[in-house]
Amino acid sequence: MQDAQKLMLSAKGHVSATAKALKILECFTPFQHELTLAQISRLLDMPKSTLLNQLRTLEELGYLMKVRDGSAYRLGYKIMELSYCAHTAIPMSQYAIPVMEDLQDATGEIIYLTSHINGRSFYMECVYPNSRSVPYSVSGKTLPMHCTGCGKAMLSQMNTQQVEAIIQQYGLASLTPNTITDHDLLMEDLAKCRARGYALDNEEETLGVKCIAMAIRTPRGEVAGALSISGSPISMVPEVLDPYAALLARACTSLTQYAHLFPAIQLQTP
Amino acid sequence: MQDAQKLMLSAKGHVSATAKALKILECFTPFQHELTLAQISRLLDMPKSTLLNQLRTLEELGYLMKVRDGSAYRLGYKIMELSYCAHTAIPMSQYAIPVMEDLQDATGEIIYLTSHINGRSFYMECVYPNSRSVPYSVSGKTLPMHCTGCGKAMLSQMNTQQVEAIIQQYGLASLTPNTITDHDLLMEDLAKCRARGYALDNEEETLGVKCIAMAIRTPRGEVAGALSISGSPISMVPEVLDPYAALLARACTSLTQYAHLFPAIQLQTP
DNA sequence: ATTATTGTTCAGCATTACTGAACGCTATTC
DNA sequence: GAATAGCGTTCAGTAATGCTGAACAATAAT
C-alpha cells in the first residue's frame, strides 16, 4: 500500500480495519456495480490476502454479496436496509414533500430536493408527474455541483473560498456539450444566479433536461439545500421562468424553518 | 462482552473490527434513529472506550453523524449514497416497475414488490396511486413475514421446515388485533393461501390496510418474491379479489424470467 | 504448451485494536 | 448546595489480531 493512503487510514483513535472495510464498499458506484477481488485490490492498492478477510466479513453480514455463478461482488441488501433507517430518520422529508407536491401540481414538471455534502449535490427527494417511466428513487444520488441547477443555486450562495475549494477538489467535468467547464464562465454564471435569485440548467447535466433551481437557506443565511423544477426544453420555455421562480421562492422560504435538518447543516464537514 | 457474542464476531478468516463496526450500524432501526455512546455500549455489551474509536471512524467517513447540539449519533449520508448504488445495481427493478404500473392502472391501489431475506419480508419497490400523501420510498424496508400479504404469500410456497424455522426464529409478534399470532391458525391460513393461490392480509400489519398478494417463483419453483395490491377495506371488497388475483397471476408469471435477480435467490443464505 | 491472472491458504510477525481505570462534565436527586 | 449518577473522553499497556508475502490450484488467454 502507498504511504499516503496508509496514513489516511491510520489516524489516532481510529480503527483502520473498519476504515478499510468502508473504503471497500465505496469502490462500488452507479457505474461499477460489480467488482472482483483483484479489481478491488488494484483500486485500493491492497494485498489480495488482506482484502479477502474483509470481503468475507462484509459478505457474511450481508453488506456484500457474490454475483450468482461468478466471483464478483455486489453491494448487499443490508445497505438498503440501513438506508431505509437513515431515510426515515430525516424528518425533513415529511415537511418538504407536501411543498414539493404543490410545486408539482402547479407546474407539471419534476421537482427535486437536494442538499450538498462534501462539495457535491446530494439528492434527497423527488416528486414526479403522473406520467411514468421515470427512475423512481433518487434518494442518495450525488452529482457534481457545477453542472446541475440545484448545484449552481447552492454554489451561488456560498462564499468564493468555498466555491474555489470545491472546483479545485473536483474540477469541472463535462457531462454534456452544454456543461460549463471553464472556471471564469462558471463564476460569471454564478454571479448571474446571485443577481436574479435562481439558477438555470440549460441541459448541462443531461441533454433534454432544463431546470430552474433556487437555494434553501437557514435563518442565519447558510446554504442548506435547493429545490428545482426540471422538464424538457419544450415545456421549460423562457416565459415560465418568472412564475416558476416565484413559486420556488415561496417554497424555499417556507422550508427555511426546517433548514437545520438538511445534511449540509447537520454535518460539521471537516 | 459476553462469550456467545464474542464467538460470533471472531470466526476464522474474519475481521472482527469490521464486524463490530457493522453491528454498531445495525443498532439503528426505524424505531431508534438516535443512539448515544452509552446506549450502544449497553445494546452491544461493549466497553465504551472500545466503541468510541469505532464511532469516530464511522463518523469521520460519513456513516454516522452527530446530532446537532447533542452527543447522540445518527446514520450518516454515506449509507444513502451506497444504497443508491445498490439500488441501481438491481436490474430487476427496470423490468418489474412497468408490470407494477400496469397493475396500478388496472386497480388504482398501491402495488408492492417484495423479496425475502433471512426470514423477513424485504420491500423493494412500490407504485402509488396519483393521490399523494403516502410514504415515498420503501426500498429497504423489512417486516416479519407472518403478518403481511406478501410475507404469507411467500411462506405458503415454502416447505414446512423453512416456515417452522422462521417462526421459531422471530416468533409471531402482534402488530394489530388482526395479526395471526397462533401457530396453528397461521399454518391453517397458509394452507388456504396454497389452495387458492394467493394470500390475503386482513389488516394484520396495519389497521385500515387490506391486501392481496401472490408469490413470484423461479422456473425451478423457488420462492423469489411476491407482488401485492394494497388498499383500504372500503375498496378491497370481496368482489375484487378474483379479478385482482387474475391480474397478479399474469404479473407474477411474467416476472418469473427475472426471478433469479431477486435477493432471495441471489443470496446463498447461510 | 505456455503465460497470465484469478481466488485461495497459511503461519508468523508486528501492528493495533481492545481494555479498565480514572478523568472532567452535566443533570439529577436529595 | 451537596451528593449522586450518568455521560463522553483520555491514556498507556498488552494481548490479541489483522496483515502480509509467498506459494497454491484453477481457470483464461495467448
Side-chain angles (χ1 to χ4, degrees):
Chain A
M1 276 185 75
Q2 289 171 5
D3 291 344
Q5 210 167 8
K6 214 167 203 168
L7 211 68
M8 281 196 56
L9 292 177
S10 66
K12 63 157 190 176
H14 280 215
V15 184
S16 65
T18 296
K20 270 178 201 158
L22 300 178
K23 286 296 172 196
I24 291 172
L25 294 180
E26 291 171 24
C27 289
F28 297 86
T29 70
F31 314 103
Q32 188 78 59
H33 294 138
E34 301 188 358
L35 287 169
T36 65
L37 170 62
Q39 285 177 307
I40 301 172
S41 168
R42 264 168 290 169
L43 273 172
L44 296 180
D45 194 20
M46 285 182 186
K48 288 184 294 175
S49 49
T50 303
L51 277 172
L52 194 63
N53 287 333
Q54 293 275 11
L55 291 177
R56 273 204 276 243
T57 308
L58 289 167
E59 187 190 358
E60 186 105 347
L61 293 173
Y63 290 80
L64 287 180
M65 52 194 250
K66 277 226 176 118
V67 176
R68 191 173 225 204
D69 303 329
S71 59
Y73 291 88
R74 280 236 302 253
L75 290 175
Y77 70 96
K78 267 288 177 57
I79 305 279
M80 293 170 70
E81 208 173 325
L82 275 183
S83 177
Y84 178 74
C85 298
H87 194 263
T88 60
I90 305 180
M92 192 248 324
S93 293
Q94 82 189 70
Y95 307 117
I97 284 183
V99 172
M100 296 170 71
E101 286 175 348
D102 287 345
L103 282 174
Q104 208 286 310
D105 289 338
T107 64
E109 305 286 5
I110 303 174
I111 313 300
Y112 286 110
L113 175 71
T114 69
S115 189
H116 65 96
I117 294 175
N118 292 338
R120 284 173 69 86
S121 296
F122 181 79
Y123 285 74
M124 308 180 67
E125 300 285 352
C126 60
V127 174
Y128 287 108
N130 297 340
S131 67
R132 304 282 175 55
S133 71
V134 278
Y136 265 75
S137 173
V138 291
S139 179
K141 181 177 182 176
T142 67
L143 279 176
M145 295 184 77
H146 72 281
C147 61
T148 68
C150 284
K152 291 198 295 181
M154 293 187 281
L155 283 177
S156 71
Q157 301 295 321
M158 296 177 176
N159 65 53
T160 316
Q161 292 173 17
Q162 286 179 283
V163 177
E164 292 290 356
I166 291 171
I167 294 174
Q168 190 161 12
Q169 188 177 358
Y170 294 108
L172 298 173
S174 172
L175 275 78
T176 78
N178 287 12
T179 308
I180 301 176
T181 56
D182 180 76
H183 176 280
D184 294 345
L185 285 177
L186 178 62
M187 296 311 257
E188 223 170 89
D189 191 71
L190 292 182
K192 270 192 227 160
C193 296
R194 242 186 318 271
R196 71 183 162 220
Y198 56 85
L200 291 175
D201 167 9
N202 183 34
E203 311 187 41
E204 294 162 31
E205 184 248 327
T206 307
L207 285 176
V209 176
K210 280 173 181 269
C211 109
I212 174 174
M214 195 173 288
I216 301 166
R217 312 177 72 172
T218 67
R220 286 190 290 175
E222 302 158 290
V223 182
L227 273 173
S228 75
I229 303 171
S230 294
S232 74
I234 296 155
S235 59
M236 297 292 285
V237 288
E239 296 84 61
V240 303
L241 294 184
D242 274 344
Y244 282 8
L247 289 169
L248 281 174
R250 192 137 37 95
C252 289
T253 305
S254 74
L255 288 180
T256 289
Q257 57 183 316
Y258 305 115
H260 60 98
L261 298 174
F262 281 72
I265 304 301
Q266 288 206 323
L267 273 172
Q268 50 265 45
T269 324
Chain B
M1 273 186 77
Q2 290 172 7
D3 291 343
Q5 210 168 5
K6 213 168 204 166
L7 211 68
M8 282 195 57
L9 292 177
S10 66
K12 63 156 190 176
H14 280 215
V15 184
S16 65
T18 296
K20 270 177 201 159
L22 300 178
K23 286 297 172 196
I24 291 171
L25 294 180
E26 291 172 25
C27 289
F28 297 86
T29 70
F31 313 104
Q32 188 79 57
H33 294 138
E34 300 188 359
L35 287 169
T36 64
L37 169 61
Q39 285 177 307
I40 301 172
S41 168
R42 264 168 291 167
L43 274 172
L44 296 180
D45 194 19
M46 284 183 188
K48 288 185 294 177
S49 50
T50 303
L51 277 172
L52 194 62
N53 288 332
Q54 292 275 9
L55 291 177
R56 272 204 278 243
T57 308
L58 289 166
E59 187 189 359
E60 187 105 347
L61 293 173
Y63 290 81
L64 287 179
M65 52 194 251
K66 276 222 176 122
V67 175
R68 193 176 225 204
D69 302 330
S71 59
Y73 291 88
R74 280 237 301 253
L75 290 175
Y77 70 97
K78 266 287 176 58
I79 305 278
M80 293 169 70
E81 208 173 326
L82 276 183
S83 176
Y84 179 75
C85 297
H87 195 262
T88 60
I90 303 180
M92 193 248 325
S93 294
Q94 82 188 70
Y95 307 117
I97 284 183
V99 173
M100 296 170 71
E101 287 175 348
D102 287 347
L103 281 175
Q104 208 286 310
D105 289 340
T107 65
E109 306 286 4
I110 303 174
I111 313 299
Y112 285 109
L113 175 71
T114 69
S115 188
H116 65 95
I117 294 174
N118 292 338
R120 283 173 70 86
S121 296
F122 182 80
Y123 284 74
M124 308 180 68
E125 300 284 353
C126 60
V127 174
Y128 287 109
N130 296 341
S131 67
R132 304 282 175 56
S133 72
V134 278
Y136 264 76
S137 172
V138 291
S139 180
K141 181 178 183 176
T142 68
L143 279 176
M145 296 183 76
H146 72 281
C147 62
T148 69
C150 284
K152 292 199 294 181
M154 292 187 282
L155 282 178
S156 71
Q157 301 294 321
M158 295 178 177
N159 65 53
T160 315
Q161 291 173 15
Q162 286 179 284
V163 177
E164 292 291 356
I166 290 170
I167 294 175
Q168 191 161 12
Q169 188 177 359
Y170 295 107
L172 298 173
S174 173
L175 275 77
T176 79
N178 289 10
T179 309
I180 302 176
T181 56
D182 180 77
H183 175 280
D184 294 346
L185 285 178
L186 178 63
M187 295 313 257
E188 223 169 88
D189 192 70
L190 293 182
K192 270 192 227 160
C193 296
R194 241 185 319 272
R196 71 184 162 219
Y198 57 84
L200 291 175
D201 167 9
N202 182 35
E203 311 187 43
E204 295 160 32
E205 185 248 325
T206 307
L207 286 176
V209 177
K210 281 175 181 268
C211 109
I212 175 173
M214 195 174 287
I216 300 165
R217 310 177 72 170
T218 66
R220 284 190 290 174
E222 301 158 290
V223 182
L227 273 172
S228 75
I229 304 171
S230 294
S232 74
I234 295 156
S235 59
M236 297 293 286
V237 289
E239 295 83 60
V240 303
L241 294 183
D242 273 345
Y244 283 7
L247 289 170
L248 280 174
R250 191 136 38 94
C252 289
T253 305
S254 75
L255 287 179
T256 289
Q257 58 184 315
Y258 305 114
H260 61 98
L261 298 174
F262 281 71
I265 304 301
Q266 287 205 325
L267 273 172
Q268 51 265 41
T269 323

